[in-house]
Amino acid sequence: MSKESRKFQVPDALANVYDFANTLDVRHFTHFGVEHPQSDEIAGMKQIADWMQERGLGGGGRITPAMFATALRLREALRAYLQCDPAERRRNKEVLGALGDALAAFPLRVEARVGCGAVLSAMRADALAGLSTIAIEMHNATLVGTLDRLKMCASEECRRVFFDRSKPSTRRWCMSTLCGNRMKTRAYRERQREAK
């Protein structure tokens, strides 16, 4: 679990999914006169190895260019999935197909463990095995209904993934005080211009 996922009270059971989706920061807005810099925490093979190691997901061994491409494909498919409204996620064949294809690179098996019963574990045994945790967390969160609370900010200038803690689970922005206010102000000004 990262400082970011703790700060925004993302459940531990979804922290790796949240953190992985947010390794790509595409925010492009100015806040209090400071332009937000875009970044990619896993821009290279060393960066993804470091990111996984920091979270205890390191599988050991060297990450190859093909493995790196596999990880980026998973992140891209995950972000496209989370960008969809939760009701649409189950109907969007293109998004589901891309996510299914990306997750296929991280096969899982059911293991019987003392004290746990049946649990999912990674079948991969290489340097990317730790990313199987993303698939496991998604599966478990789907079963308990919390995956639908993981969403992407509706602001085109943001696109940060956030955990919707609201009771009705209807939040649209990662921060209503920042992205929400900016979007509402922009919509208000546009309505005012159209009314003239």
Side-chain angles (χ1 to χ4, degrees):
M1 184 175 229
S2 68
K3 288 180 190 175
E4 195 81 4
S5 53
R6 268 190 229 105
K7 176 182 173 183
F8 292 107
Q9 301 174 2
V10 177
D12 291 352
L14 270 173
N16 288 308
V17 175
Y18 169 87
D19 287 337
F20 187 64
N22 281 325
T23 56
L24 182 63
D25 187 348
V26 295
R27 292 177 285 184
H28 57 279
F29 54 78
T30 302
H31 185 60
F32 293 122
V34 178
E35 189 171 333
H36 184 85
Q38 295 183 351
S39 63
D40 187 349
E41 286 182 62
I42 59 171
M45 291 177 285
K46 180 182 179 348
Q47 288 89 347
I48 193 166
D50 291 347
W51 184 88
M52 289 172 57
Q53 196 66 38
E54 286 170 13
R55 284 155 185 79
L57 303 176
R62 189 176 74 80
I63 294 180
T64 66
M67 289 177 184
F68 179 63
T70 298
L72 293 183
R73 196 167 32 258
L74 176 61
R75 182 180 67 182
E76 180 183 342
L78 175 61
R79 287 181 58 84
Y81 175 81
L82 295 174
Q83 186 172 345
C84 294
D85 180 79
E88 182 191 339
R89 291 175 187 175
R90 290 175 272 287
R91 296 188 307 260
N92 191 322
K93 291 180 183 176
E94 183 180 332
V95 168
L96 286 172
L99 183 59
D101 290 346
L103 287 170
F106 300 92
L108 305 174
R109 68 175 162 252
V110 179
E111 289 183 356
R113 293 190 186 161
V114 176
C116 298
V119 295
L120 292 174
S121 64
M123 287 183 67
R124 273 186 95 120
D126 59 12
L128 279 190
L131 287 186
S132 297
T133 302
I134 306 301
I136 294 168
E137 285 185 6
M138 289 180 70
H139 174 266
N140 293 342
T142 299
L143 293 179
V144 296
T146 54
L147 188 60
D148 284 351
R149 289 186 172 271
L150 209 56
K151 303 174 180 179
M152 187 173 286
C153 184
S155 171
E156 291 289 334
E157 297 168 324
C158 181
R159 293 300 188 205
R160 248 349 238 168
V161 171
F162 68 95
F163 186 77
D164 184 354
R165 302 192 72 73
S166 69
K167 192 170 186 175
S169 188
T170 55
R171 266 181 56 196
R172 296 185 57 225
W173 301 289
C174 60
M175 294 178 69
S176 56
T177 56
L178 183 63
C179 293
N181 281 349
R182 195 169 43 248
M183 296 289 287
K184 290 173 189 175
T185 301
R186 188 174 295 133
Y188 171 78
R189 287 180 181 153
E190 194 171 305
R191 283 193 304 274
Q192 295 301 311
R193 270 194 303 269
E194 289 172 1
K196 290 181 182 180

